[in-house]
Amino acid sequence: MQVSVETVQGLERRATITVPAATVDNEVKRLLKDEYRNRRINGFRKGKVPPNVLQKLFGKEARARAASNVMQSKYFEAVMQEKLNPVGMPAITPMVNEEGKDLQFAATFEVYPEVTVQALDKLKIEKPDVTVTDADVDTMLETLRKQHGGWKEIKRKSKKGERITIDFVGSIDGTEFDGGKASDFALELGQGRMIPGFEDQIIGMKTGEEKTIEVTFPEDYHAENLKGKLAQFVVTAKKVEERDLPVLDDAFVSLFGISEGGVDALRTEVRKNMERELKNTVNGKVKEQVLKGLVEHNEVDLPKAMIDQEIDNLRNQAMQRFNQNMQQMPQLPANLFEEQAKERVKVGLLLGEVIRSNKMKVDDAKVDEIIATNASAYEDPAEVIAYYKGNNELLQQVRNVALEEQAIEFIVSQAKVKAKKTSFDELMNPKQK
């Protein structure tokens, strides 16, 4: 077999491969002997058809199949012989495919790029420095009470944090506008659901009161005809309610499956869950900065085959999120996912090189740690751990995650890391700018 390889452009290569005619002839003979001779042919017993008859009846078909088989197998031999690292499957084009002549074909494919990761010491990472305090746990318990509480009507002026049910009619220069009218609209004051200034002016209203307020729509408001306009709203308060919160006692604690230890046990469980979420969030913030820094400081040629495959992955994920029938839904255009696909491919290549160049192996202790962390969110962690350990596919996914985390940790160890003091609430509930 003779092989010559040329660069087409970028990562694309074309291998011209020549195979001795005898190799194809032998494959034709094998096919005729092993597959075609058992076919039913009038005048011959099954399996007893003479070779010359088989050749006459099926020679062309066998030749085409033999050439295809040989081209596939010799392509793989060629890339191994030339120490090439192809991406995806090749486009194979026969050049000479005639009986009695050497078979010659061209295989066009992309190769993986040569990747070098550098400037890790130039990466700047800001790591949140935060702990779960007793006050944070108190706030979370209060949130749980609100989630399991209700509302009770009161006969006084409304306050921030309470709920008011209103009717309102909006107008601009005396003319009502579409979408500016509602009846029995329940509004929790202080949540910022309405346009700026609306809620502030109805705090203090009581049942039966009517009030006219003025507000200006923001310049970036979604309705073009309302942007920047001064509007008047006639507001009628129909009901004012305050929260009716459950008592923090054993009965409340039992709602969360805790039968012993009372409120202290609930506080312990809540703190544990908060600390797990906090750890995941901190790690996510650090990882986001690591990957962004890697991409910014390192250039990599990206194989089109890998981008196309990632686009398909992203497209399928999007369709699944929309819960659409993938057979009936029109295919989403590739350009919707192209930039994200390119970034994911680049990140994968760079992290892969960090792992390869540093000879990283999966740390079994980290695998166990990830499984244990995931399992801690369930009622019976031991059962979940056993399920992971008994499912090879799931276990391999965790091993991949562990290896990626090891690579992230290595990069962080090389980068410039600055701790930033913050609170649990600031980190977990960032204010929208």
Side-chain angles (χ1 to χ4, degrees), residues 227-364:
K227 288 182 177 180
K229 295 291 182 67
L230 177 66
Q232 294 77 40
F233 285 89
V234 178
V235 182
T236 303
K238 302 180 74 174
K239 183 168 59 175
V240 178
E241 299 168 290
E242 67 178 0
R243 287 190 177 276
D244 185 17
L245 300 181
V247 177
L248 194 58
D249 57 12
D250 287 351
F252 179 75
V253 170
S254 68
L255 296 175
F256 302 91
I258 297 175
S259 56
E260 298 180 0
V263 175
D264 288 341
L266 178 59
R267 289 184 66 90
T268 299
E269 187 66 24
V270 167
R271 180 184 289 272
K272 183 174 69 174
N273 291 338
M274 292 174 70
E275 288 175 343
R276 181 179 62 247
E277 293 302 315
L278 175 61
K279 180 180 178 182
N280 290 339
T281 300
V282 169
N283 289 344
K285 295 282 186 184
V286 170
K287 179 180 178 179
E288 181 181 347
Q289 295 174 74
V290 166
L291 299 184
K292 183 178 179 181
L294 267 183
V295 169
E296 288 179 350
H297 286 87
N298 295 276
E299 290 300 323
V300 183
D301 289 333
L302 304 180
K304 185 178 182 301
M306 294 183 71
I307 296 172
D308 290 344
Q309 182 178 8
E310 195 58 44
I311 286 174
D312 285 341
N313 292 338
L314 292 169
R315 181 191 284 127
N316 289 336
Q317 290 169 15
M319 293 170 76
Q320 289 169 3
R321 282 196 301 271
F322 293 141
N323 293 320
Q324 296 289 335
N325 186 321
M326 297 177 66
Q327 299 294 327
Q328 299 177 358
M329 184 177 179
Q331 189 174 56
L332 297 171
N335 60 6
L336 289 178
F337 310 100
E338 186 171 4
E339 288 306 312
Q340 185 182 0
K342 286 180 178 178
E343 182 164 337
R344 288 176 65 162
V345 169
K346 187 173 183 180
V347 164
L349 290 169
L350 290 169
L351 281 181
E353 177 57 22
V354 170
I355 292 168
R356 188 200 65 79
S357 60
N358 291 282
K359 299 181 174 60
M360 292 183 180
K361 303 294 182 184
V362 177
D363 183 350
D364 290 334

Side-chain angles (χ1 to χ4, degrees), residues 5 84 123 241 280 304 328 387 399 422:
V5 181
L84 298 170
L123 268 60
E241 299 168 290
N280 290 339
K304 185 178 182 301
Q328 299 177 358
Y387 179 74
R399 291 176 66 83
T422 186

Side-chain angles (χ1 to χ4, degrees), residues 29-159:
K29 292 176 182 177
R30 185 193 69 78
L31 288 171
L32 291 173
K33 177 183 177 182
D34 296 344
E35 298 186 27
Y36 286 93
R37 74 172 185 170
N38 289 321
R39 295 193 179 185
R40 294 189 179 279
I41 300 173
N42 292 335
F44 298 95
R45 286 185 296 161
K46 186 178 179 180
K48 299 298 183 180
V49 184
N52 63 320
V53 175
L54 291 173
Q55 177 65 41
K56 182 178 180 180
L57 292 174
F58 305 114
K60 289 185 178 180
E61 180 183 337
R63 170 76 195 190
R65 287 184 58 190
S68 177
N69 292 347
V70 169
M71 286 189 289
Q72 291 289 339
S73 64
K74 294 304 178 181
Y75 160 73
F76 289 110
E77 285 186 27
V79 296
M80 293 178 64
Q81 174 183 306
E82 300 298 316
K83 296 182 173 57
L84 298 170
N85 194 6
V87 179
M89 296 303 294
I92 293 180
T93 305
M95 299 169 68
V96 178
N97 182 15
E98 299 176 25
E99 189 173 351
K101 292 185 178 181
D102 291 346
L103 173 67
Q104 188 177 73
F105 65 96
T108 305
F109 53 93
E110 289 180 292
V111 295
Y112 280 92
E114 293 184 6
V115 181
T116 302
V117 178
Q118 55 189 2
L120 293 184
D121 58 336
K122 294 182 180 179
L123 268 60
K124 295 180 180 179
I125 296 171
E126 194 173 74
K127 184 176 182 179
D129 181 8
V130 55
T131 56
V132 177
T133 66
D134 289 341
D136 294 326
V137 176
D138 290 339
T139 299
M140 185 60 69
L141 289 174
E142 192 66 14
T143 299
L144 293 176
R145 291 177 69 204
K146 289 178 180 178
Q147 290 174 352
H148 289 79
W151 297 91
K152 63 180 180 182
E153 188 171 358
I154 53 176
K155 300 298 181 181
R156 58 167 171 76
K157 294 181 179 181
S158 59
K159 298 178 181 179

Side-chain angles (χ1 to χ4, degrees), residues 210-223:
E210 182 180 291
K211 186 177 184 180
T212 299
I213 63 175
E214 288 190 345
V215 294
T216 301
F217 283 92
E219 293 293 342
D220 59 352
Y221 196 68
H222 60 83

Side-chain angles (χ1 to χ4, degrees), residues 156-160 162-168 185-190 194-195 197-207 209-215 233-237 239-240:
R156 58 167 171 76
K157 294 181 179 181
S158 59
K159 298 178 181 179
K160 187 176 180 179
E162 295 178 340
R163 189 166 74 176
I164 184 170
T165 300
I166 58 176
D167 293 346
F168 62 82
F185 184 79
L187 177 65
E188 185 177 342
L189 297 170
M194 308 297 282
I195 58 177
F198 189 102
E199 291 182 27
D200 293 339
Q201 295 182 66
I202 64 174
I203 290 176
M205 291 185 71
K206 59 183 180 181
T207 302
E209 182 179 353
E210 182 180 291
K211 186 177 184 180
T212 299
I213 63 175
E214 288 190 345
V215 294
F233 285 89
V234 178
V235 182
T236 303
K239 183 168 59 175
V240 178

